[in-house]
Amino acid sequence: MSGAASTTGAEETAAFGDQETAGDTGGIVVTLDVGQEKELPVAAAGAGKTRDREMHAILEIGVRAGGAPALAAGPARGSGPALAEVLIVDTSRSMLHPAAKLHAAKDATVAALRLLPEGTAFAVLSGRFDATVVHPGPGREVMAVAGPAEREAAERAVRILDADGGTALGHWLDLARRLLDRQSAPIKHVLLLTDGRNEHDHRAAMTLDTALEACDGRFVCDAWGIGDDWDADLLLRITRRLHGRAGAVRRESELPAAYEELVGGLLGTAVPELRIRLTPTPGTVIRQVKQVVPGEQELLATGPEPGGRGAEYVTRAWGEETRHFQVVLSADPTGRETGEDLQLAAVEVAVPDFGRTVALPPPRPVLVRWTDDPLDASRQHPGVRRHELYQRASAAVARAYRAWLRRAEGGPEADRALGQALALAAELGDAQLLGALHRIEAAPGTGRVRDGLKDVDWQHLILSSAMTTPPEGPAEYAAAPPGTGTHAPPGTGADGLVECPECAWLGPPDSVYCGGECGRRLKGAR
Protein backbone atom coordinates (compact mmCIF):
# COMPACT_ATOMS: atom_id res chain seq x y z
CA MET A 1 0.00 0.00 0.00
CA SER A 2 1.48 3.28 -1.06
CA GLY A 3 1.14 6.73 0.41
CA ALA A 4 1.22 8.34 -3.03
CA ALA A 5 -1.85 8.88 -5.19
CA SER A 6 -2.20 6.54 -8.14
CA THR A 7 -3.94 7.21 -11.47
CA THR A 8 -5.36 4.89 -14.09
CA GLY A 9 -3.37 6.43 -16.93
CA ALA A 10 -3.93 9.04 -19.61
CA GLU A 11 -4.65 6.37 -22.20
CA GLU A 12 -7.87 5.38 -20.35
CA THR A 13 -9.12 8.93 -19.98
CA ALA A 14 -8.56 9.58 -23.66
CA ALA A 15 -11.08 6.88 -24.51
CA PHE A 16 -13.91 9.07 -23.25
CA GLY A 17 -13.77 11.84 -25.84
CA ASP A 18 -13.01 15.53 -25.47
CA GLN A 19 -12.04 16.04 -21.83
CA GLU A 20 -9.81 18.59 -20.15
CA THR A 21 -8.53 19.43 -16.72
CA ALA A 22 -11.02 21.46 -14.69
CA GLY A 23 -10.51 25.17 -15.23
CA ASP A 24 -9.25 24.88 -18.83
CA THR A 25 -12.62 25.67 -20.42
CA GLY A 26 -15.57 27.96 -19.94
CA GLY A 27 -18.00 25.14 -20.83
CA ILE A 28 -19.16 22.16 -18.79
CA VAL A 29 -17.12 21.59 -15.63
CA VAL A 30 -17.26 18.55 -13.36
CA THR A 31 -16.00 18.83 -9.79
CA LEU A 32 -15.02 16.11 -7.33
CA ASP A 33 -14.38 16.31 -3.59
CA VAL A 34 -13.72 13.41 -1.22
CA GLY A 35 -14.83 13.70 2.40
CA GLN A 36 -13.81 11.17 5.02
CA GLU A 37 -12.50 10.56 8.50
CA LYS A 38 -9.29 8.71 7.78
CA GLU A 39 -8.70 6.87 11.06
CA LEU A 40 -9.46 3.14 11.30
CA PRO A 41 -8.54 0.83 14.21
CA VAL A 42 -5.56 -1.48 13.90
CA ALA A 43 -7.21 -3.97 16.25
CA ALA A 44 -10.66 -5.30 15.33
CA ALA A 45 -13.32 -4.91 18.03
CA GLY A 46 -13.94 -8.65 18.14
CA ALA A 47 -13.72 -11.88 16.24
CA GLY A 48 -15.40 -11.67 12.87
CA LYS A 49 -16.13 -7.96 13.21
CA THR A 50 -14.93 -6.28 10.03
CA ARG A 51 -17.25 -3.27 9.86
CA ASP A 52 -14.96 -1.26 12.15
CA ARG A 53 -12.26 -1.65 9.50
CA GLU A 54 -14.47 -0.31 6.70
CA MET A 55 -13.59 3.11 5.33
CA HIS A 56 -16.68 5.15 4.47
CA ALA A 57 -16.02 8.12 2.19
CA ILE A 58 -18.42 10.66 0.69
CA LEU A 59 -17.85 11.72 -2.91
CA GLU A 60 -19.36 15.11 -3.70
CA ILE A 61 -19.65 15.42 -7.48
CA GLY A 62 -20.95 18.54 -9.18
CA VAL A 63 -21.75 19.49 -12.77
CA ARG A 64 -21.75 23.12 -13.89
CA ALA A 65 -22.74 24.07 -17.45
CA GLY A 66 -20.78 27.34 -17.42
CA GLY A 67 -23.09 28.97 -19.95
CA ALA A 68 -23.02 26.03 -22.36
CA PRO A 69 -26.37 25.44 -24.11
CA ALA A 70 -28.50 22.61 -22.74
CA LEU A 71 -27.75 19.32 -24.45
CA ALA A 72 -31.39 18.33 -25.07
CA ALA A 73 -32.34 21.71 -26.54
CA GLY A 74 -30.84 20.92 -29.93
CA PRO A 75 -29.52 18.11 -32.11
CA ALA A 76 -26.66 15.95 -31.01
CA ARG A 77 -23.37 15.76 -32.88
CA GLY A 78 -24.27 14.70 -36.43
CA SER A 79 -27.86 14.73 -37.64
CA GLY A 80 -29.60 12.71 -34.91
CA PRO A 81 -31.71 14.03 -32.01
CA ALA A 82 -30.17 14.67 -28.60
CA LEU A 83 -33.27 13.40 -26.78
CA ALA A 84 -35.47 10.33 -27.22
CA GLU A 85 -38.57 10.46 -25.00
CA VAL A 86 -41.26 7.87 -24.25
CA LEU A 87 -44.39 8.97 -22.38
CA ILE A 88 -46.31 6.09 -20.77
CA VAL A 89 -49.94 6.71 -19.76
CA ASP A 90 -51.74 4.30 -17.44
CA THR A 91 -55.05 3.52 -19.17
CA SER A 92 -56.20 0.72 -16.87
CA ARG A 93 -59.85 0.70 -15.81
CA SER A 94 -59.10 2.32 -12.44
CA MET A 95 -58.08 5.54 -14.22
CA LEU A 96 -61.83 6.19 -14.67
CA HIS A 97 -62.48 6.17 -10.91
CA PRO A 98 -62.63 9.10 -10.83
CA ALA A 99 -62.40 10.11 -14.48
CA ALA A 100 -60.45 13.22 -13.41
CA LYS A 101 -57.33 11.03 -13.28
CA LEU A 102 -57.52 10.15 -16.97
CA HIS A 103 -58.35 13.74 -17.93
CA ALA A 104 -55.33 14.99 -15.95
CA ALA A 105 -53.09 12.32 -17.52
CA LYS A 106 -54.13 13.47 -20.99
CA ASP A 107 -53.57 17.15 -20.15
CA ALA A 108 -50.16 16.40 -18.66
CA THR A 109 -49.06 14.26 -21.61
CA VAL A 110 -50.09 16.98 -24.06
CA ALA A 111 -48.23 19.58 -21.96
CA ALA A 112 -45.09 17.43 -22.12
CA LEU A 113 -45.44 16.92 -25.88
CA ARG A 114 -45.62 20.67 -26.48
CA LEU A 115 -42.30 21.19 -24.67
CA LEU A 116 -40.31 18.67 -26.71
CA PRO A 117 -37.72 20.44 -28.91
CA GLU A 118 -37.91 20.17 -32.68
CA GLY A 119 -36.34 16.96 -33.90
CA THR A 120 -36.82 15.04 -30.63
CA ALA A 121 -37.61 11.36 -31.10
CA PHE A 122 -40.74 10.53 -29.12
CA ALA A 123 -43.53 8.03 -28.61
CA VAL A 124 -46.66 7.82 -26.45
CA LEU A 125 -47.62 4.45 -24.96
CA SER A 126 -50.87 3.24 -23.40
CA GLY A 127 -50.45 0.78 -20.53
CA ARG A 128 -52.92 -1.92 -19.46
CA PHE A 129 -52.39 -5.70 -19.27
CA ASP A 130 -50.02 -5.02 -22.14
CA ALA A 131 -48.71 -1.87 -23.82
CA THR A 132 -49.56 -0.30 -27.15
CA VAL A 133 -48.07 2.56 -29.13
CA VAL A 134 -50.60 5.41 -29.15
CA HIS A 135 -48.39 7.54 -31.38
CA PRO A 136 -46.95 7.14 -33.97
CA GLY A 137 -49.42 4.23 -34.10
CA PRO A 138 -50.34 0.72 -32.90
CA GLY A 139 -48.20 -2.12 -34.17
CA ARG A 140 -45.33 0.18 -35.12
CA GLU A 141 -42.20 -0.09 -33.01
CA VAL A 142 -40.80 3.18 -34.31
CA MET A 143 -40.67 6.67 -32.85
CA ALA A 144 -41.97 9.94 -34.25
CA VAL A 145 -39.88 13.08 -34.74
CA ALA A 146 -41.17 16.18 -32.99
CA GLY A 147 -42.51 18.87 -35.29
CA PRO A 148 -45.82 20.75 -35.61
CA ALA A 149 -47.63 18.02 -37.57
CA GLU A 150 -46.39 15.14 -35.39
CA ARG A 151 -47.23 16.96 -32.15
CA GLU A 152 -50.74 17.72 -33.40
CA ALA A 153 -51.28 14.09 -34.43
CA ALA A 154 -49.97 12.86 -31.07
CA GLU A 155 -52.28 15.23 -29.18
CA ARG A 156 -55.30 13.96 -31.12
CA ALA A 157 -54.36 10.37 -30.31
CA VAL A 158 -53.93 11.18 -26.62
CA ARG A 159 -57.22 13.05 -26.36
CA ILE A 160 -59.28 10.02 -27.49
CA LEU A 161 -57.65 7.57 -25.08
CA ASP A 162 -60.05 5.46 -23.02
CA ALA A 163 -59.37 3.22 -20.03
CA ASP A 164 -59.96 -0.50 -19.50
CA GLY A 165 -58.14 -3.60 -18.30
CA GLY A 166 -55.49 -4.02 -15.61
CA THR A 167 -51.93 -3.03 -14.75
CA ALA A 168 -48.73 -4.89 -15.75
CA LEU A 169 -45.85 -2.42 -15.71
CA GLY A 170 -43.26 -4.89 -16.98
CA HIS A 171 -44.90 -4.88 -20.42
CA TRP A 172 -44.95 -1.09 -20.49
CA LEU A 173 -41.25 -0.69 -19.71
CA ASP A 174 -40.20 -3.45 -22.09
CA LEU A 175 -41.99 -1.81 -25.02
CA ALA A 176 -40.28 1.48 -24.15
CA ARG A 177 -36.95 -0.38 -24.14
CA ARG A 178 -37.56 -1.85 -27.58
CA LEU A 179 -38.38 1.58 -28.97
CA LEU A 180 -35.41 3.30 -27.39
CA ASP A 181 -32.93 0.57 -28.33
CA ARG A 182 -33.25 1.77 -31.93
CA GLN A 183 -32.34 5.35 -31.02
CA SER A 184 -28.83 6.83 -30.92
CA ALA A 185 -29.76 9.91 -28.87
CA PRO A 186 -27.40 10.45 -25.90
CA ILE A 187 -30.40 11.14 -23.61
CA LYS A 188 -33.01 8.38 -23.46
CA HIS A 189 -35.84 8.99 -21.03
CA VAL A 190 -39.15 7.43 -20.00
CA LEU A 191 -41.85 9.24 -18.02
CA LEU A 192 -44.29 6.72 -16.54
CA LEU A 193 -47.60 7.53 -14.85
CA THR A 194 -49.70 5.03 -12.92
CA ASP A 195 -52.53 5.04 -10.41
CA GLY A 196 -52.19 1.38 -9.45
CA ARG A 197 -50.08 -1.28 -7.80
CA ASN A 198 -49.00 -3.59 -10.65
CA GLU A 199 -51.54 -6.14 -9.45
CA HIS A 200 -51.43 -8.19 -12.65
CA ASP A 201 -47.67 -8.77 -12.66
CA HIS A 202 -48.18 -12.47 -11.90
CA ARG A 203 -50.20 -12.86 -15.10
CA ALA A 204 -47.82 -10.95 -17.32
CA ALA A 205 -45.56 -12.59 -19.88
CA MET A 206 -42.96 -9.96 -18.93
CA THR A 207 -42.74 -9.50 -15.17
CA LEU A 208 -41.51 -6.25 -13.70
CA ASP A 209 -38.33 -7.86 -12.35
CA THR A 210 -37.49 -9.24 -15.77
CA ALA A 211 -38.24 -5.90 -17.43
CA LEU A 212 -36.11 -3.96 -14.96
CA GLU A 213 -33.21 -6.32 -15.61
CA ALA A 214 -33.59 -5.80 -19.37
CA CYS A 215 -34.02 -2.02 -19.09
CA ASP A 216 -31.22 -1.31 -16.62
CA GLY A 217 -28.66 0.93 -18.32
CA ARG A 218 -30.82 1.51 -21.41
CA PHE A 219 -32.66 4.65 -20.28
CA VAL A 220 -33.60 6.81 -17.31
CA CYS A 221 -37.14 6.44 -15.98
CA ASP A 222 -39.09 8.86 -13.80
CA ALA A 223 -42.25 7.30 -12.32
CA TRP A 224 -45.22 9.23 -10.98
CA GLY A 225 -48.33 8.32 -9.04
CA ILE A 226 -51.81 9.80 -9.34
CA GLY A 227 -55.00 9.16 -7.40
CA ASP A 228 -55.39 7.33 -4.08
CA ASP A 229 -54.14 3.81 -4.80
CA TRP A 230 -50.56 4.03 -6.10
CA ASP A 231 -47.68 2.34 -4.33
CA ALA A 232 -44.66 4.39 -3.26
CA ASP A 233 -42.44 1.33 -2.87
CA LEU A 234 -43.26 0.30 -6.45
CA LEU A 235 -42.31 3.72 -7.83
CA LEU A 236 -39.08 3.73 -5.83
CA ARG A 237 -38.24 0.20 -6.98
CA ILE A 238 -38.51 1.29 -10.62
CA THR A 239 -36.70 4.61 -10.30
CA ARG A 240 -33.86 3.32 -8.13
CA ARG A 241 -33.11 0.64 -10.69
CA LEU A 242 -33.49 2.93 -13.71
CA HIS A 243 -31.66 5.99 -12.32
CA GLY A 244 -34.77 8.18 -12.16
CA ARG A 245 -36.87 9.91 -9.54
CA ALA A 246 -40.25 9.07 -8.09
CA GLY A 247 -43.01 11.57 -7.38
CA ALA A 248 -46.76 11.97 -7.06
CA VAL A 249 -49.44 14.64 -7.06
CA ARG A 250 -51.97 15.11 -4.30
CA ARG A 251 -54.59 16.56 -6.66
CA GLU A 252 -55.14 15.52 -10.26
CA SER A 253 -55.13 19.14 -11.41
CA GLU A 254 -51.47 19.47 -10.32
CA LEU A 255 -50.19 16.90 -12.81
CA PRO A 256 -49.80 19.08 -15.97
CA ALA A 257 -47.66 21.62 -14.10
CA ALA A 258 -45.61 18.80 -12.58
CA TYR A 259 -44.99 17.34 -16.04
CA GLU A 260 -43.96 20.73 -17.40
CA GLU A 261 -41.44 21.06 -14.58
CA LEU A 262 -40.14 17.54 -15.17
CA VAL A 263 -39.65 18.03 -18.90
CA GLY A 264 -38.09 21.44 -18.27
CA GLY A 265 -35.55 19.81 -15.98
CA LEU A 266 -34.90 17.08 -18.53
CA LEU A 267 -34.22 19.67 -21.21
CA GLY A 268 -31.62 21.20 -18.91
CA THR A 269 -29.51 18.01 -19.00
CA ALA A 270 -25.85 18.96 -19.26
CA VAL A 271 -24.20 15.52 -19.13
CA PRO A 272 -26.11 12.37 -20.18
CA GLU A 273 -23.82 10.01 -18.30
CA LEU A 274 -21.05 10.29 -15.75
CA ARG A 275 -18.92 7.38 -14.59
CA ILE A 276 -17.24 7.02 -11.22
CA ARG A 277 -14.04 5.03 -11.56
CA LEU A 278 -12.49 3.45 -8.46
CA THR A 279 -9.02 1.93 -8.57
CA PRO A 280 -8.20 0.22 -5.27
CA THR A 281 -4.64 -0.37 -4.16
CA PRO A 282 -3.53 -3.99 -3.57
CA GLY A 283 -5.27 -5.41 -0.50
CA THR A 284 -8.23 -3.01 -0.69
CA VAL A 285 -11.73 -4.35 -1.46
CA ILE A 286 -14.63 -2.24 -2.77
CA ARG A 287 -17.62 -3.19 -0.62
CA GLN A 288 -20.30 -0.78 -1.83
CA VAL A 289 -20.93 2.34 -3.88
CA LYS A 290 -24.27 4.12 -3.69
CA GLN A 291 -25.81 7.51 -4.28
CA VAL A 292 -27.04 9.10 -1.06
CA VAL A 293 -28.12 12.61 -2.23
CA PRO A 294 -30.71 13.44 -3.60
CA GLY A 295 -31.90 9.91 -2.84
CA GLU A 296 -30.47 6.51 -2.07
CA GLN A 297 -29.61 4.42 -5.11
CA GLU A 298 -27.37 1.37 -5.19
CA LEU A 299 -24.79 1.48 -7.99
CA LEU A 300 -23.56 -1.73 -9.61
CA ALA A 301 -20.01 -2.08 -10.92
CA THR A 302 -19.58 -2.47 -14.66
CA GLY A 303 -16.32 -4.35 -14.10
CA PRO A 304 -12.65 -3.44 -14.40
CA GLU A 305 -10.98 -2.41 -17.60
CA PRO A 306 -9.06 -5.25 -19.31
CA GLY A 307 -5.90 -5.81 -17.31
CA GLY A 308 -6.98 -3.31 -14.64
CA ARG A 309 -8.02 -3.52 -10.99
CA GLY A 310 -10.64 -0.79 -11.01
CA ALA A 311 -14.39 -0.74 -11.40
CA GLU A 312 -16.77 1.81 -12.90
CA TYR A 313 -20.15 2.92 -11.64
CA VAL A 314 -22.50 4.64 -14.08
CA THR A 315 -24.74 7.58 -13.14
CA ARG A 316 -27.07 9.26 -15.62
CA ALA A 317 -28.89 12.43 -16.65
CA TRP A 318 -26.99 15.24 -14.92
CA GLY A 319 -28.25 18.79 -14.99
CA GLU A 320 -26.47 21.61 -13.18
CA GLU A 321 -26.45 19.91 -9.79
CA THR A 322 -24.43 18.24 -7.06
CA ARG A 323 -24.89 14.66 -5.92
CA HIS A 324 -23.31 12.74 -3.06
CA PHE A 325 -22.10 9.15 -3.21
CA GLN A 326 -20.96 6.87 -0.40
CA VAL A 327 -18.03 4.54 -1.04
CA VAL A 328 -17.25 1.70 1.38
CA LEU A 329 -13.79 0.11 1.26
CA SER A 330 -12.12 -2.44 3.49
CA ALA A 331 -8.46 -3.27 4.00
CA ASP A 332 -6.14 -5.18 6.29
CA PRO A 333 -3.71 -3.15 8.43
CA THR A 334 -1.28 -6.04 8.86
CA GLY A 335 2.24 -4.79 8.28
CA ARG A 336 1.17 -1.18 7.74
CA GLU A 337 2.44 1.87 9.55
CA THR A 338 0.21 3.58 12.11
CA GLY A 339 -0.34 7.33 12.15
CA GLU A 340 0.57 7.74 8.48
CA ASP A 341 -1.74 8.60 5.56
CA LEU A 342 -1.90 5.62 3.19
CA GLN A 343 -3.95 5.33 0.03
CA LEU A 344 -6.80 2.83 -0.23
CA ALA A 345 -8.06 3.82 -3.68
CA ALA A 346 -8.03 6.49 -6.36
CA VAL A 347 -11.29 8.09 -7.51
CA GLU A 348 -11.82 9.53 -10.99
CA VAL A 349 -14.82 10.72 -12.97
CA ALA A 350 -15.22 10.30 -16.72
CA VAL A 351 -17.88 11.01 -19.31
CA PRO A 352 -18.49 9.32 -22.68
CA ASP A 353 -18.13 11.33 -25.87
CA PHE A 354 -21.44 13.10 -26.47
CA GLY A 355 -20.27 16.00 -28.61
CA ARG A 356 -19.34 18.49 -25.88
CA THR A 357 -16.06 19.41 -24.24
CA VAL A 358 -16.05 18.65 -20.53
CA ALA A 359 -13.46 19.76 -17.97
CA LEU A 360 -12.82 16.92 -15.52
CA PRO A 361 -11.13 17.11 -12.12
CA PRO A 362 -7.89 15.26 -11.38
CA PRO A 363 -8.05 11.92 -9.53
CA ARG A 364 -8.55 12.10 -5.77
CA PRO A 365 -7.26 9.61 -3.19
CA VAL A 366 -9.27 7.81 -0.52
CA LEU A 367 -6.90 7.55 2.43
CA VAL A 368 -6.58 5.59 5.63
CA ARG A 369 -4.62 6.29 8.80
CA TRP A 370 -4.36 3.20 10.96
CA THR A 371 -4.58 4.02 14.65
CA ASP A 372 -4.57 2.26 17.99
CA ASP A 373 -6.43 5.17 19.64
CA PRO A 374 -10.12 4.17 20.10
CA LEU A 375 -11.21 7.80 20.24
CA ASP A 376 -9.65 8.62 16.86
CA ALA A 377 -11.12 5.46 15.33
CA SER A 378 -14.64 6.27 16.57
CA ARG A 379 -14.98 9.53 14.63
CA GLN A 380 -17.44 9.54 11.74
CA HIS A 381 -17.60 11.87 8.75
CA PRO A 382 -20.71 14.14 8.97
CA GLY A 383 -21.90 13.03 5.52
CA VAL A 384 -21.83 9.37 6.54
CA ARG A 385 -23.62 10.15 9.78
CA ARG A 386 -26.24 12.16 7.90
CA HIS A 387 -27.05 9.31 5.57
CA GLU A 388 -27.38 6.92 8.50
CA LEU A 389 -29.90 9.31 10.05
CA TYR A 390 -31.89 9.34 6.79
CA GLN A 391 -31.89 5.55 6.72
CA ARG A 392 -33.21 5.43 10.26
CA ALA A 393 -35.86 8.06 9.53
CA SER A 394 -37.05 6.14 6.47
CA ALA A 395 -37.14 2.91 8.49
CA ALA A 396 -39.14 4.66 11.23
CA VAL A 397 -41.68 5.87 8.64
CA ALA A 398 -42.00 2.30 7.32
CA ARG A 399 -42.56 0.97 10.87
CA ALA A 400 -45.18 3.62 11.56
CA TYR A 401 -47.03 2.74 8.35
CA ARG A 402 -46.99 -1.00 9.05
CA ALA A 403 -48.26 -0.39 12.58
CA TRP A 404 -51.00 1.96 11.29
CA LEU A 405 -52.23 -0.81 9.00
CA ARG A 406 -53.07 -2.80 12.16
CA ARG A 407 -55.46 0.00 13.19
CA ALA A 408 -56.15 0.28 16.94
CA GLU A 409 -53.82 -2.57 17.84
CA GLY A 410 -50.87 -0.87 16.18
CA GLY A 411 -51.64 2.68 17.35
CA PRO A 412 -49.06 2.94 20.16
CA GLU A 413 -46.31 1.52 17.96
CA ALA A 414 -47.24 3.87 15.11
CA ASP A 415 -47.01 6.83 17.51
CA ARG A 416 -43.58 5.74 18.76
CA ALA A 417 -42.23 5.29 15.25
CA LEU A 418 -43.64 8.64 14.11
CA GLY A 419 -42.00 10.29 17.11
CA GLN A 420 -38.66 8.75 16.16
CA ALA A 421 -39.00 9.95 12.57
CA LEU A 422 -39.84 13.48 13.75
CA ALA A 423 -36.83 13.56 16.05
CA LEU A 424 -34.52 12.32 13.31
CA ALA A 425 -35.89 14.81 10.76
CA ALA A 426 -35.33 17.61 13.29
CA GLU A 427 -31.77 16.45 13.88
CA LEU A 428 -31.22 16.42 10.11
CA GLY A 429 -32.71 19.90 9.80
CA ASP A 430 -34.74 18.68 6.80
CA ALA A 431 -37.69 21.07 6.53
CA GLN A 432 -39.25 19.14 3.64
CA LEU A 433 -39.30 15.87 5.57
CA LEU A 434 -40.53 17.59 8.72
CA GLY A 435 -43.38 19.13 6.73
CA ALA A 436 -44.35 15.73 5.34
CA LEU A 437 -44.30 14.23 8.83
CA HIS A 438 -46.42 17.06 10.24
CA ARG A 439 -49.12 16.13 7.70
CA ILE A 440 -49.36 12.79 9.51
CA GLU A 441 -49.06 14.17 13.06
CA ALA A 442 -52.27 14.86 15.00
CA ALA A 443 -51.02 18.28 16.16
CA PRO A 444 -47.57 19.89 16.30
CA GLY A 445 -45.53 18.52 19.16
CA THR A 446 -47.83 15.61 20.00
CA GLY A 447 -45.87 12.92 18.18
CA ARG A 448 -49.14 11.05 17.58
CA VAL A 449 -50.64 9.84 14.33
CA ARG A 450 -53.76 11.81 13.47
CA ASP A 451 -57.14 10.23 12.90
CA GLY A 452 -58.79 9.97 9.50
CA LEU A 453 -55.66 9.26 7.47
CA LYS A 454 -55.90 7.47 4.12
CA ASP A 455 -53.37 5.00 2.80
CA VAL A 456 -52.31 7.52 0.13
CA ASP A 457 -51.23 9.94 2.88
CA TRP A 458 -48.66 7.38 3.94
CA GLN A 459 -47.55 6.77 0.36
CA HIS A 460 -46.71 10.46 -0.01
CA LEU A 461 -44.76 10.31 3.26
CA ILE A 462 -42.81 7.24 2.12
CA LEU A 463 -41.76 9.12 -1.04
CA SER A 464 -40.76 12.15 1.03
CA SER A 465 -38.67 10.00 3.39
CA ALA A 466 -36.76 8.62 0.39
CA MET A 467 -35.48 12.08 -0.61
CA THR A 468 -32.31 13.39 0.99
CA THR A 469 -30.61 16.76 1.14
CA PRO A 470 -27.00 17.77 1.81
CA PRO A 471 -26.23 19.58 5.06
CA GLU A 472 -26.39 23.35 4.96
CA GLY A 473 -23.85 23.52 7.77
CA PRO A 474 -23.32 22.06 11.22
CA ALA A 475 -26.50 22.04 13.27
CA GLU A 476 -26.25 24.16 16.37
CA TYR A 477 -28.79 23.89 19.14
CA ALA A 478 -28.22 26.56 21.73
CA ALA A 479 -29.98 26.73 25.06
CA ALA A 480 -32.70 29.36 25.17
CA PRO A 481 -31.41 32.68 26.48
CA PRO A 482 -32.71 33.90 29.83
CA GLY A 483 -36.00 35.74 29.75
CA THR A 484 -37.33 34.18 26.54
CA GLY A 485 -39.87 32.02 28.36
CA THR A 486 -38.55 28.95 26.55
CA HIS A 487 -37.19 26.14 28.68
CA ALA A 488 -35.35 23.07 27.49
CA PRO A 489 -36.75 19.77 28.74
CA PRO A 490 -35.04 17.89 31.54
CA GLY A 491 -31.91 16.16 30.33
CA THR A 492 -30.81 19.08 28.17
CA GLY A 493 -27.11 19.77 28.52
CA ALA A 494 -25.11 22.94 28.24
CA ASP A 495 -24.75 22.40 24.50
CA GLY A 496 -28.54 22.65 24.12
CA LEU A 497 -29.06 19.01 23.13
CA VAL A 498 -31.54 16.76 24.89
CA GLU A 499 -30.28 13.36 26.05
CA CYS A 500 -32.50 10.29 26.27
CA PRO A 501 -32.08 8.71 29.72
CA GLU A 502 -32.78 5.25 28.27
CA CYS A 503 -30.29 4.93 25.36
CA ALA A 504 -28.25 8.18 25.67
CA TRP A 505 -29.40 9.45 22.24
CA LEU A 506 -28.70 13.18 21.73
CA GLY A 507 -31.06 15.35 19.72
CA PRO A 508 -32.69 18.77 19.30
CA PRO A 509 -34.03 20.30 22.52
CA ASP A 510 -37.65 20.32 21.27
CA SER A 511 -37.66 16.55 20.62
CA VAL A 512 -40.86 14.87 21.81
CA TYR A 513 -39.62 11.31 21.30
CA CYS A 514 -36.19 9.72 21.32
CA GLY A 515 -34.78 9.38 17.81
CA GLY A 516 -32.60 6.46 18.89
CA GLU A 517 -33.35 2.79 19.28
CA CYS A 518 -35.75 2.95 22.23
CA GLY A 519 -38.17 5.55 20.82
CA ARG A 520 -39.49 6.44 24.28
CA ARG A 521 -41.31 9.69 25.06
CA LEU A 522 -38.89 12.12 26.65
CA LYS A 523 -39.59 13.50 30.10
CA GLY A 524 -40.68 17.10 30.06
CA ALA A 525 -41.82 16.91 26.41
CA ARG A 526 -45.15 18.58 25.90
Side-chain angles (χ1 to χ4, degrees), residues 29-320:
V29 176
V30 178
T31 60
L32 168 65
D33 290 300
V34 177
Q36 61 174 130
E37 293 289 349
K38 294 179 287 189
E39 290 79 7
L40 286 182
V42 171
K49 293 186 177 180
T50 59
R51 287 188 59 84
D52 58 344
R53 285 183 178 171
E54 288 182 345
M55 172 56 65
H56 294 247
I58 296 294
L59 312 182
E60 186 173 329
I61 300 176
V63 171
R64 298 293 177 265
L71 178 62
R77 176 185 287 176
S79 58
L83 170 66
E85 177 70 20
V86 176
L87 301 167
I88 304 180
V89 183
D90 186 337
T91 55
S92 61
R93 185 179 298 111
S94 59
M95 287 289 284
L96 294 174
H97 305 286
K101 288 188 291 187
L102 185 59
H103 292 315
K106 293 179 182 181
D107 289 344
T109 303
V110 168
L113 288 170
R114 291 174 178 173
L115 290 175
L116 296 180
E118 297 290 308
T120 297
F122 78 96
V124 182
L125 308 187
S126 167
R128 300 182 183 179
F129 288 118
D130 55 8
T132 58
V133 179
V134 175
H135 186 82
R140 302 175 59 195
E141 291 193 5
V142 297
M143 298 182 72
V145 178
E150 287 292 343
R151 285 198 199 88
E152 184 178 346
E155 289 184 25
R156 287 198 303 268
V158 168
R159 291 297 184 192
I160 63 174
L161 281 174
D162 200 358
D164 198 9
T167 305
L169 273 66
H171 276 307
W172 310 0
L173 290 170
D174 189 59
L175 178 54
R177 177 192 63 80
R178 297 200 303 269
L179 291 168
L180 290 169
D181 274 352
R182 302 182 181 186
Q183 300 297 317
S184 60
I187 305 173
K188 298 180 182 181
H189 183 261
V190 172
L191 180 50
L192 182 152
L193 175 73
T194 183
D195 75 330
R197 294 177 177 261
N198 201 35
E199 65 267 25
H200 298 106
D201 191 60
H202 63 288
R203 294 170 48 185
M206 173 68 76
T207 65
L208 181 58
D209 281 339
T210 303
L212 290 175
E213 183 70 26
C215 296
D216 189 11
R218 306 297 185 89
F219 55 81
V220 172
C221 180
D222 292 331
W224 275 65
I226 189 173
D228 290 338
D229 199 34
W230 50 273
D231 182 356
D233 287 332
L234 173 65
L235 301 185
L236 290 169
R237 178 179 161 202
I238 293 170
T239 55
R240 284 172 172 165
R241 186 66 183 271
L242 302 182
H243 297 259
R245 300 188 185 184
V249 291
R250 293 184 179 275
R251 291 180 292 275
E252 288 85 357
S253 60
E254 297 172 348
L255 189 64
Y259 264 38
E260 289 177 349
E261 183 176 351
L262 280 167
V263 175
L266 178 65
L267 297 182
T269 300
V271 176
E273 179 182 301
L274 186 150
R275 305 177 191 181
I276 301 170
R277 182 182 295 161
L278 289 176
T279 305
T281 53
T284 300
V285 177
I286 303 172
R287 296 296 182 188
Q288 186 181 46
V289 178
K290 61 182 176 181
Q291 178 182 287
V292 294
V293 174
E296 183 172 325
Q297 181 180 92
E298 195 77 22
L299 301 182
L300 301 179
T302 60
E305 294 290 326
R309 299 188 311 273
E312 286 188 347
Y313 300 83
V314 179
T315 66
R316 303 186 191 278
W318 287 72
E320 286 199 85

Side-chain angles (χ1 to χ4, degrees), residues 337-388:
E337 296 291 334
T338 60
E340 178 183 346
D341 284 356
L342 304 172
Q343 182 169 302
L344 289 178
V347 184
E348 291 181 272
V349 292
V351 296
D353 183 7
F354 62 97
R356 300 285 177 87
T357 299
V358 180
L360 295 176
R364 308 286 189 194
V366 179
L367 303 174
V368 66
R369 183 183 299 154
W370 297 108
T371 179
D372 52 12
D373 185 332
L375 183 61
D376 286 343
S378 68
R379 291 187 299 178
Q380 190 177 42
H381 186 268
V384 176
R385 165 67 176 169
R386 186 172 181 82
H387 179 56
E388 288 183 359

Side-chain angles (χ1 to χ4, degrees), residues 396 400 413-425 437 441 446-449 505 511-515 519-520:
E413 183 180 347
D415 289 344
R416 285 194 299 273
L418 175 62
Q420 288 177 335
L422 283 162
L424 290 163
L437 289 164
E441 193 178 17
T446 63
R448 295 194 302 272
V449 175
W505 171 82
S511 299
V512 176
Y513 284 89
C514 170
R520 62 173 290 172

Side-chain angles (χ1 to χ4, degrees), residues 324-335:
H324 293 187
F325 302 85
Q326 184 173 355
V327 172
V328 183
L329 307 170
S330 64
D332 186 347
T334 304

